[in-house]
Amino acid sequence: MLLLQLYFSFHQWSIYLGAWHEAEFVGLDIFKEVFADSRFGWAILRSLAFAGGSTIGCFLIGFGLAYLMRKPFRGQALYYILFILPMLTVPIVIAYTGEMLLYESGPINDMISRVSGGDFKVAWLSNPSIALLTVMLLEIWNWTPFTFIIMVAGFASLPREPLEAARILGASSWRIFWEVQVPLLRPVIFLALTLRFLEAMAEFPKIWALFQGGPGSATETIPVYIFLTTWQYFQVSKGAALSYVAMMLMIVIVLGAIRLLRHEKRALDEMYVAPRSGG
């Protein structure tokens, strides 16, 4: 599949131009067109904004829930089930349910109006200024459990010795959290952020089901633009080139994330493993 996409990236072809193996070789012309395409540039920026915002939202909520759930208590299993349920919901179902709830005269605006005592009429689905925010909030609801699960595992894997030593020295709960737990959790935190960011960059079902890239081009992210280019404008060669450029962008992000993870792992080894073995 990747080789076929590479072939189309260097050959001008669409479904109306005859047999694909007879396509005209155009070299780097299609890639030049892609890099000069301002619409694709805006799609990249929207994808980065969407992925960044939803990743931060998922992490903050997921981390907070994991911190509250780090110690066993009665009825904990029920909370685990409730917190994980959104991740088990099919994205297209989330989109259609969100569409029903977010109508201007729908339940969400109505409940906010009742609580605030005012007339809350936000056009979640038709205002270009907040359309990306709308699907971002749905993404946060859908994928916060993913971050929650990773951070629960992170808290469970924390070594006891540094925590007990800090308590013996009289450190407050806040100092133990900020100066001991968070540094030890940094590799796990970076892993959670990286995986969540990469998944958000590829998000398509919810955005397409709700907006098809609209209103206007307000939610036209990389996957949406590639889909439109390939299957609605029938520019197969340009779609293939767009896919390769997007893949290169993701590879750069992954390599950067791996470098950060290795740095954090070395810092953690120096802070905990090396002193322990030396003692």
Side-chain angles (χ1 to χ4, degrees), residues 198 245-259:
L198 292 174
V245 173
M247 184 177 68
M248 293 299 107
L249 175 62
M250 299 300 285
I251 289 174
V252 170
I253 294 173
V254 169
L255 291 177
I258 291 174
R259 186 173 181 180

Side-chain angles (χ1 to χ4, degrees), residues 166-209:
R167 292 191 187 99
I168 292 172
L169 293 174
S172 64
S173 297
W174 170 251
R175 290 196 65 185
I176 292 174
F177 169 75
W178 190 250
E179 297 181 13
V180 180
Q181 289 179 308
V182 170
L184 290 173
L185 284 170
R186 279 192 309 194
V188 181
I189 290 172
F190 274 103
L191 178 64
L193 291 173
T194 300
L195 294 177
R196 178 80 280 280
F197 185 87
L198 292 174
E199 195 283 331
M201 285 289 289
E203 169 58 34
F204 177 79
K206 289 188 288 292
I207 297 176
W208 184 257

Side-chain angles (χ1 to χ4, degrees), residues 122-203:
V122 173
W124 299 99
L125 303 174
S126 58
N127 186 345
S129 300
I130 63 171
L132 196 64
L133 174 63
T134 299
V135 73
M136 193 183 298
L137 293 174
L138 292 176
E139 181 80 353
I140 291 171
W141 184 85
N142 188 189
W143 285 105
T144 289
F146 177 77
T147 305
F148 167 71
I149 292 171
I150 292 179
M151 295 315 305
V152 164
F155 276 110
S157 66
L158 287 177
R160 295 182 179 181
E161 293 87 346
L163 302 178
E164 293 173 354
R167 292 191 187 99
I168 292 172
L169 293 174
S172 64
S173 297
W174 170 251
R175 290 196 65 185
I176 292 174
F177 169 75
W178 190 250
E179 297 181 13
V180 180
Q181 289 179 308
V182 170
L184 290 173
L185 284 170
R186 279 192 309 194
V188 181
I189 290 172
F190 274 103
L191 178 64
L193 291 173
T194 300
L195 294 177
R196 178 80 280 280
F197 185 87
L198 292 174
E199 195 283 331
M201 285 289 289
E203 169 58 34

Side-chain angles (χ1 to χ4, degrees), residues 9-184:
S9 298
F10 289 96
H11 294 78
Q12 188 65 55
W13 184 79
S14 77
I15 60 175
Y16 300 113
L17 292 180
W20 64 270
H21 53 82
E22 297 176 353
E24 178 187 0
F25 178 77
V26 293
L28 295 173
D29 289 353
I30 301 174
F31 283 100
K32 292 178 182 178
E33 180 184 351
V34 166
F35 286 115
D37 188 350
S38 60
R39 188 172 170 182
F40 182 53
W42 281 108
I44 293 175
L45 292 178
R46 290 189 198 96
S47 288
L48 292 173
F50 172 79
S54 61
T55 297
I56 292 172
C58 287
F59 173 75
L60 292 177
I61 300 174
F63 186 92
L65 293 175
Y67 183 78
L68 295 175
M69 298 280 286
R70 73 191 188 283
K71 296 180 180 179
F73 59 88
R74 188 175 181 181
Q76 190 178 42
L78 176 61
Y79 286 95
Y80 275 121
I81 294 172
L82 292 176
F83 293 157
I84 293 173
L85 272 178
M87 192 176 70
L88 305 179
T89 308
V90 179
I92 198 70
V93 173
I94 294 175
Y96 288 140
T97 304
E99 184 177 17
M100 177 186 67
L101 296 173
L102 293 170
Y103 273 118
E104 193 167 342
S105 57
I108 298 297
N109 283 345
D110 180 63
M111 285 188 291
I112 296 176
S113 297
R114 291 175 184 273
V115 172
S116 64
D119 187 21
F120 194 81
K121 293 290 184 182
V122 173
W124 299 99
L125 303 174
S126 58
N127 186 345
S129 300
I130 63 171
L132 196 64
L133 174 63
T134 299
V135 73
M136 193 183 298
L137 293 174
L138 292 176
E139 181 80 353
I140 291 171
W141 184 85
N142 188 189
W143 285 105
T144 289
F146 177 77
T147 305
F148 167 71
I149 292 171
I150 292 179
M151 295 315 305
V152 164
F155 276 110
S157 66
L158 287 177
R160 295 182 179 181
E161 293 87 346
L163 302 178
E164 293 173 354
R167 292 191 187 99
I168 292 172
L169 293 174
S172 64
S173 297
W174 170 251
R175 290 196 65 185
I176 292 174
F177 169 75
W178 190 250
E179 297 181 13
V180 180
Q181 289 179 308
V182 170
L184 290 173

